[in-house]
Amino acid sequence: MSIAQAIFDLKADPESFLRASRLKILGGGKTSFDVPANFKMEVNPEGGCKAICVLQDTAPLGVDQFQAWYFPMQQL
């Protein structure tokens, strides 16, 4: 599956995409944002895809990018 197809499938039907595909999300230690963040989608060498948070502004998206809200996980 190409990166463009993976982004299309994720946006079209997130639940089905996440049930069928592995997605690793990397926030880079950022805190949550007031606006959607830009994520760069790459092939994960371990399988599936990985989405890396690259920007927190409204910069134009590349063909390998998508916007999503980022909420960091917290250790309890």
Side-chain angles (χ1 to χ4, degrees):
M1 172 184 311
S2 72
I3 295 300
Q5 184 64 48
I7 292 172
F8 178 83
D9 292 348
L10 175 62
K11 291 168 72 175
D13 189 353
E15 182 178 354
S16 293
F17 178 82
L18 293 173
R19 288 186 184 276
S21 305
R22 181 191 287 182
L23 177 63
K24 184 175 187 177
I25 301 170
L26 305 167
K30 295 174 174 55
T31 59
S32 37
F33 300 127
D34 295 336
V35 296
N38 292 0
F39 287 84
K40 181 177 180 180
M41 184 84 87
E42 297 178 351
V43 173
N44 186 359
E46 300 167 1
C49 297
K50 62 181 174 181
I52 304 165
C53 183
V54 292
L55 295 172
Q56 73 177 73
D57 61 21
T58 55
L61 297 174
V63 295
D64 60 348
Q65 295 182 339
F66 65 96
Q67 283 193 325
W69 289 95
Y70 177 69
F71 298 96
M73 295 181 66
Q74 297 178 355
Q75 297 290 327
L76 299 178

